[in-house]
Amino acid sequence: MKFLAITLIVHRPDPVTGVLKSTQDRFREVLDNALLAEELGFDGFGVGERHERPFISSSPPVVLSHIAALTRRIRLFTAVTTLSLLDPVRAFEDYATLDHLSGGRLELIIGKGNGSAQRELFQVTPEDQWERNAESYEVFRRLWREDKVTAQTRFRPPLKDAEAWPRPYQRPVRVWHGSATSRESVDLAARYGDPLFSANVTHPIEPYAELIAYYRERWAHYGHDPAGLAVGAGTAGLYVARTSQEAAETYRPVFESNLAFQRRHGLPVVFETLEDFVERSSALIGSPQQVVDKVHRYHERFGHTVLHLHADASGLTDTQHRDSLGLFQSEVAPVLRRSIPDPPFAWEPVLPSTEKERAHV
């Protein structure tokens, strides 16, 4: 099993202390967390894309390029690239450049994105966002594979023998499809034989398990080899401590502050108590053995081979956050790596034959 640390770069007051960091300090925190993730042995670090409050993750290629310069090994993910909002040619240029700067460590998770404010900002409607996402992905995918692209597009000017530069380092980049609630993204992933990444954050396990089961059905429908199927899944929170009692006691102020925030802003409340949150959500809060057991329970339903964890402290102190991630990597990750297989593809840059030959010279 592989492990990612992911941030959406939420910028709001700390849920426990109420302190709001400056924008620059928040970005510095993201960079520090990326370095920590590589130091602790995580396999990937992901940066989300949002174009509305309270997020400041509107430019993941810039953030990931900075992280690429600071790190050497860890793979760099988007979480997610909102292709329904973007010009696929411009997105290709940004990410092909980042692919070179990172030495082929880039992986993309794409999706239509969430939030009415960012749809309004980009003049995208709920009715056309799925078609925009599919069209943009088709163009993006072809640009990554073909030197010249001709395409009759609806949502951007048509392309005729279009060339986009630079040509990418990886041929092609691996693209995951982010899925939260809709079958459209699941079907798109299955159609192209791409891996699926389930958000698995807001609700109990059932709706996500249903979408993953649908993905497997559509994968077979499109005639892909079952051995090539790969699923990733998210988590709603993380705090690993030596005992379940210590974990619950430490995490309780975080949960209660987040619950108050949801109620204050009229957001739907799914888990009313910390005990229910620990039991029925995807959050990994408890002793190392409890966390191992919970991941295994989810794996029985999902069959996932990649897991993402929160890169941010999100109400924990920096020391608590670092200690929790360290305990996860020292006592949880090794057990899961042994008992759950890796995804069915190499975790290295996808190079064209000429680059592979050059790499072995």
Side-chain angles (χ1 to χ4, degrees):
M1 184 171 234
K2 300 294 187 182
F3 303 99
L4 317 180
I6 285 181
T7 177
L8 302 182
I9 322 188
V10 176
H11 189 224
R12 65 180 179 91
D14 182 282
V16 174
T17 67
V19 173
L20 177 65
K21 295 184 177 181
S22 70
T23 299
Q24 188 174 53
D25 285 345
R26 183 68 182 95
F27 279 125
R28 181 71 251 175
E29 184 178 46
V30 170
L31 301 179
D32 290 343
N33 284 335
L35 289 169
L36 175 62
E38 179 161 270
E39 173 192 328
L40 292 176
F42 278 84
D43 302 292
F45 189 87
V47 173
E49 180 179 335
R50 299 290 189 279
H51 300 271
E52 59 186 333
R53 294 180 183 176
F55 306 98
I56 53 172
S57 51
S58 57
S59 187
V62 175
V63 178
L64 288 171
S65 290
H66 196 140
I67 293 171
L70 298 175
T71 58
R72 292 293 177 266
R73 175 195 57 80
I74 201 165
R75 290 194 68 77
L76 306 173
F77 282 73
T78 63
V80 300
T81 296
T82 52
L83 279 181
S84 65
L85 308 179
L86 305 177
D87 183 317
V89 177
R90 191 70 186 92
F92 166 82
E93 291 171 338
D94 284 343
Y95 284 114
T97 301
L98 171 54
D99 195 35
H100 279 281
L101 294 176
S102 67
R105 288 186 283 144
L106 174 66
E107 298 206 24
L108 300 176
I109 307 175
I110 69 158
K112 69 168 181 62
N114 294 310
S116 59
Q118 63 182 13
R119 282 201 306 267
E120 293 172 3
L121 183 65
F122 288 89
Q123 294 294 294
V124 173
T125 69
E127 292 74 27
D128 68 18
Q129 61 185 350
W130 289 112
E131 294 179 7
R132 286 177 179 272
N133 186 62
E135 178 183 286
S136 291
Y137 180 54
E138 167 67 20
V139 173
F140 184 90
R141 179 184 175 88
R142 290 184 59 194
L143 286 168
W144 214 278
R145 289 164 170 77
E146 303 171 25
D147 292 335
K148 294 184 178 182
V149 173
T150 296
Q152 295 300 316
T153 51
R154 290 179 53 200
F155 301 107
R156 59 145 290 129
L159 300 173
K160 182 173 176 56
D161 292 331
E163 297 179 273
W165 296 92
R167 300 309 301 152
Y169 185 70
Q170 296 183 93
R171 303 276 185 96
V173 70
R174 184 158 43 241
V175 177
W176 301 70
H177 294 249
S179 164
T181 59
S182 174
R183 291 190 167 201
E184 283 89 344
S185 56
V186 169
D187 186 82
L188 189 65
R191 186 188 319 163
Y192 285 106
D194 294 330
L196 181 75
F197 216 108
S198 172
N200 188 40
V201 169
T202 307
H203 302 287
I205 194 171
E206 287 75 18
Y208 305 113
E210 290 175 6
L211 282 174
I212 291 172
Y214 180 67
Y215 171 63
R216 295 179 183 278
E217 293 173 12
R218 300 307 290 171
W219 183 277
H221 169 80
Y222 288 114
H224 301 303
D225 182 355
L229 183 148
V231 173
T235 55
L238 173 74
Y239 187 68
V240 189
R242 286 297 173 187
T243 67
S244 59
Q245 294 81 4
E246 179 188 349
E249 180 181 352
T250 301
Y251 199 83
R252 189 175 299 279
V254 177
F255 173 81
E256 291 179 348
S257 296
N258 287 330
L259 181 63
F261 178 86
Q262 291 171 331
R263 288 175 170 160
R264 187 164 59 250
H265 292 273
L267 301 173
V269 174
V270 179
F271 306 101
E272 296 278 355
T273 66
L274 173 63
E275 290 70 23
D276 190 36
F277 183 65
V278 170
E279 176 62 28
R280 294 196 306 122
S281 82
S282 61
L284 301 177
I285 300 166
S287 67
Q289 187 59 55
Q290 285 175 308
V291 171
V292 167
D293 292 343
K294 191 167 191 178
V295 174
H296 276 133
R297 290 202 307 273
Y298 271 76
H299 179 70
E300 289 174 2
R301 299 289 301 275
F302 292 171
H304 60 309
T305 53
V306 178
L307 181 71
H308 93 50
L309 307 171
H310 289 204
D312 300 313
S314 302
L316 298 169
T317 67
D318 290 342
T319 299
Q320 289 168 341
H321 179 54
R322 174 182 280 269
D323 289 349
S324 173
L325 290 176
L327 194 55
F328 180 91
Q329 280 294 348
S330 64
E331 297 196 17
V332 176
V335 177
L336 296 175
R337 290 187 194 277
R338 289 193 300 268
S339 58
I340 296 176
D342 285 342
F345 39 70
W347 201 255
E348 291 86 27
V350 182
L351 304 182
S353 59
T354 54
E355 293 289 346
K356 290 179 182 177
E357 292 163 4
R358 191 176 304 151
H360 286 87
V361 172

